[in-house]
Every structure is written in C-alpha cells, then in structure tokens.
Amino acid sequence: MDSKNALGEFLRARRERVRPEDVGLSGGGLRRVPGLRREEVALLAGISSDYYLRLEQGRDRNPSVQVLEALARVLRLDASATAHLLSLAQPERPAVSRRRARRPEAVPVSVRELLDTWSGHPAYVQNRFTDCLAANALCRALSPNYTPGVNLLRAVFLDPAERELRRDWEELTAEGVATLRGHIGPDVDEPRLVELVGELSVRSDRFRLLWSRHEVRPMLGRTSLLSHPLVGDFELRSNKFEIPGTNSLSVVVFHAVPGSRSAELLGLLGSLTASGATPWREDSRAASDETPSAGNLRAAGAEPSHRGDGRTAPDETSRPDDRRTASNETPSEENLRMASGEPSHRDDRRTAPDETSRPDDRRTASGEAPRQGDRHTASDKTPRRSDARAASGEAPSQGTPLGRDEIARLDEDR
C-alpha cells in the first residue's frame, strides 16, 4: 500500500480488470498489459492521455468530480466503488488527521447486556479492522474465534478449522477483503491496517490476490453457509448495525429463517452449549496450524468415545466430507439426548469393565433355565455360592443342606 498514491493504485488496478470488448473496443492485437491501456481509458473518459498518466502516477491528486465520475463509468464501477474513488481524490488532509490516535474501543455496557439477552441469536461486536470486541455464548459456540482479541479476517484466512466451518469460504474471503477496503477508505496508512495487511499478505496468497484487486463493497448482511461439528450443515443470515457514539464499532447479529431446518439446528446448538458440550479445542485460534481431529472433538466433550463399541478410534481423523452432515440430515441421537437432558442408554447395553457376563446369568435374567452343559462349564470358572459366602464371612443359609464337599471344605478352613 502507498498512502501517497492511493488514487493512482486504485485506477491502475481497476483499469487492468476491464476488457476492451466490455467497453466496445477491439481486443485484437498484441497487448502487453491486461485490461485497458491508459490512452484507451483517457479517450473513453474524454481527457488527455497525459492528464490520466499524471493521475495514475500521483502527480495530480485533485481531479474534478466530473473527471472522476467519467473514469468511474469507463472502469465500470458500481456505486460503492465510485464513492471510494471520490474519497481517494479528496484534498490531502493534515498528517495528524490521517494518522489519528488509536482511541480505546470500549463496547457500551448496554450493548454488552443486549448481546447476552439474545440467547437464541449469535451476536458479536467488531471494529472496522474486524477485531472482535465482544460476543455472546451462542456466537462463541459457532466458532472459538468469536472471542474478544481475535481478528476475524485473520482467522478466516489463517485458521484451518475456520475454513472447514465455512462452506462458502471463497465468497466470504472475497467479501471480507472488499468490505475492509471500503470501510477504511483513504486511510490506508492506518498503523493497525498496515500491520494486518502486511501479515496477511505474507502468510496468505489468496489475501494478497484479493487485496491487489482493489474491490470495494459496503458493509451489508449476508447468508453464511456453515458446517458445524456438533449439528452439521445449516445456514445463518447476518446483519450489521453501526453503534452510534463509538469509534466505528458495529454489532453483527445472526439468525435463521423462522421455522426452517437451520432454525431447528441453531436451537439444538444452543441446547448443547447450555449443557456444556463444546466441539472446539481450547487452543483453536487463528494462529492454529492444524485441524481439530475427531479425537480432540470427543475429548473436548462434543461426542463420547466409541472405542468400546468397535467403532472408529478417537484418534482417527475423519475426512472433511464425513465430518459434515447434509443440511437435511437428522442430528445424531447422542446430540439430541444431550440437548433434551435424556441420559444415554449406550452404557446400559454394555458389560461392566470389571465383570464378565456368564451365559447362565444371562439366561437367568431372561427367565430361561440354564442348560445342564452350561452348569458344568460354569462350575469350572465361577466360584460356588458357598465359597462366596465363606469368603465374605456370611453363614450358610439354614434352609439349604450342606453337601459333602462343602462340609469338608469348612473343616479345612477351621
């Protein structure tokens, strides 16, 4: 970024994205640069080539509104991009104004209270650099990156778990970069922005590509396509609202279409979160270099281990497609039990870890008399009832006569 020639950088980047045929010119012949040539832009805008060259090189920074609007038509800019172009051509402001001090960004107490009352709607507060400043519990259940101190744009580009969560990751990243540039405007030398853009440009090829395109979009709502490890695939709509009297802070609120499957799954996620279930590792943040494995998710409390059932071992990582649940698929029975408070009966069907179930015991429990062959087999492995009484110090039952072997064994004990 070059704050001294932000207008020239924007014009050059947008000129290279317009094809000659888009503006009625022939695209034939050898072209050394993508998009339109400078002289072609100048011709279509009705200005001299030399004057347009001075604009791109930053030697003329005060073009008229009429010239800028003509350039916007040639470069096929929408209303948001045109407004951004006009802001870049404003007269140079004092350095103190351009580099204004970073004031503390305090979220009003009333806004924090409002977030907590939205128990059925994930919501968070962010600044214009996409730093998360506050979030309610349901929002943190969507992603651990909705935590104060985490930069959400950085998380989306650098956290692998965040990319798995976002089924619309490509669209989301493009919108995020365009919204950031539109929100920043001409303040491209803001220290916080320079730090963020510098890191992401080094660590993410996609961010570097998107930032170089100079796309601008307003901060509008969108529909997010999520693939959550607890409840599967669902959709949430989001809207952003500026908080008056703050330093460009905004509240982002998610909601599902009432009565939809997504609304049901969002309610399920809220119930699971209230019961203490969490699919996220404690160390899952934007700097994470690995994706949570299925074992880590179970260990975090999202799902009990099924090793004893002969299923996948808890340290085995599922494929991404396996981890995702189709949007019309019913959540697992275990999650539904956890959400409703119903105890799981899985353990009731299993054998206690320190007790071996005997065939004759199972028949007795079902009311079936044990077979003769089973009694012989059990006598070799299972202690006789009298032995159990003797070991525990219990006297023999008075109504049961002692056999010869039992009398001999009692004599030996004495």
Side-chain angles (χ1 to χ4, degrees):
M1 296 183 297
D2 183 5
S3 61
K4 297 180 179 180
N5 190 24
L7 174 63
E9 287 188 354
F10 181 81
L11 290 174
R12 180 168 59 253
R14 300 310 296 257
R15 170 174 62 84
E16 293 175 350
R17 299 188 56 197
V18 180
R19 299 176 302 175
E21 52 268 28
D22 292 338
V23 292
L25 298 177
S26 173
L30 180 63
R31 305 183 73 88
R32 295 180 299 174
V33 295
L36 298 177
R37 300 185 178 98
R38 291 190 183 96
E39 55 270 20
E40 292 172 337
V41 175
L43 175 64
L44 294 171
I47 58 178
S48 68
S49 299
D50 181 67
Y51 181 59
Y52 179 77
L53 177 62
R54 293 202 306 271
L55 290 177
E56 274 202 7
Q57 292 179 346
R59 293 186 287 127
D60 191 321
R61 302 184 184 182
N62 296 301
S64 65
V65 174
Q66 292 78 7
V67 169
L68 293 175
E69 290 178 345
L71 292 174
R73 287 193 298 270
V74 173
L75 300 178
R76 304 172 66 85
L77 303 182
D78 59 16
S80 299
T82 300
H84 181 70
L85 173 63
L86 293 173
S87 70
L88 295 178
Q90 291 177 355
E92 190 71 20
R93 291 170 292 174
V96 175
S97 175
R98 293 291 299 271
R99 297 180 178 271
R100 58 181 174 271
R102 295 175 61 183
R103 295 177 294 172
E105 297 174 313
V107 179
V109 176
S110 60
V111 174
R112 291 182 180 274
E113 295 173 346
L114 183 62
L115 295 184
D116 292 336
T117 62
W118 288 336
S119 58
H121 297 279
Y124 68 95
V125 177
Q126 69 173 15
N127 61 12
R128 62 185 187 139
F129 305 108
T130 71
D131 295 318
C132 181
L133 304 179
N136 60 15
L138 189 54
C139 195
R140 292 191 296 271
L142 286 180
S143 169
N145 288 310
Y146 289 118
T147 301
V150 175
N151 182 269
L152 299 176
L153 188 66
R154 180 180 184 273
V156 167
F157 278 98
L158 302 183
D159 189 348
E162 196 72 23
R163 182 164 185 173
E164 288 194 3
L165 173 67
R166 311 286 181 172
R167 289 183 287 136
D168 56 348
W169 185 82
E170 298 283 338
E171 179 182 355
L172 175 65
T173 51
E175 289 184 5
V177 173
T179 301
L180 175 66
R181 187 178 283 281
H183 204 177
I184 294 300
D187 294 331
V188 294
D189 57 351
E190 182 77 31
R192 179 71 182 97
L193 179 69
V194 172
E195 175 188 2
L196 178 63
V197 171
E199 179 188 8
L200 292 179
S201 296
V202 171
R203 301 185 61 183
S204 172
D205 293 337
R206 176 161 177 78
F207 176 84
R208 189 165 57 250
L209 171 64
L210 293 173
W211 188 254
S212 67
R213 296 171 67 178
H214 285 256
E215 286 192 349
V216 179
R217 297 187 189 181
M219 189 174 61
L220 301 175
R222 67 185 310 273
T223 299
S224 298
L225 308 180
L226 304 176
S227 183
H228 200 275
L230 273 184
V231 298
D233 292 358
F234 65 110
E235 301 179 3
L236 291 180
R237 297 181 178 180
S238 64
N239 290 279
K240 298 182 180 181
F241 307 95
E242 292 281 350
I243 303 178
T246 64
N247 188 17
S248 300
L249 303 187
S250 59
V251 176
V252 183
V253 185
F254 295 95
H255 75 279
V257 176
S260 66
R261 176 64 174 167
S262 294
E264 179 184 352
L265 293 178
L266 181 61
L268 174 60
L269 178 61
S271 300
L272 293 174
T273 303
S275 66
T278 172
W280 310 110
R281 303 173 316 176
E282 292 298 326
D283 60 344
S284 178
R285 288 294 182 266
S288 174
D289 294 328
E290 60 178 335
T291 302
S293 65
N296 289 336
L297 297 182
R298 297 190 191 102
E303 182 182 354
S305 173
H306 306 298
R307 180 175 293 178
D309 293 341
R311 302 175 186 172
T312 305
D315 58 345
E316 178 179 342
T317 303
S318 303
R319 294 189 302 270
D321 292 338
D322 296 337
R323 283 195 299 271
R324 293 179 179 170
T325 306
S327 58
N328 57 354
E329 182 179 345
T330 304
S332 68
E333 295 182 3
E334 188 70 22
N335 287 347
L336 292 175
R337 292 192 195 98
M338 294 173 64
S340 61
E342 177 186 351
S344 174
H345 305 294
R346 184 177 296 164
D347 293 339
D348 298 341
R349 297 192 297 270
R350 301 177 185 168
T351 304
D354 57 349
E355 179 181 351
T356 306
S357 178
R358 295 188 296 274
D360 53 336
D361 294 339
R362 290 194 296 272
R363 294 196 186 93
T364 303
S366 62
E368 178 184 351
R371 293 198 297 269
Q372 186 69 23
D374 291 339
R375 288 199 295 270
H376 292 310
T377 304
S379 64
D380 298 334
K381 300 180 180 179
T382 307
R384 280 188 283 271
R385 189 177 303 170
S386 58
D387 293 344
R389 293 196 191 99
S392 62
E394 178 186 351
S397 174
Q398 297 298 325
T400 303
L402 296 176
R404 192 183 313 168
D405 292 341
E406 293 182 83
I407 294 173
R409 185 173 294 102
L410 291 173
D411 290 339
E412 292 175 1
D413 293 340
R414 296 195 190 97

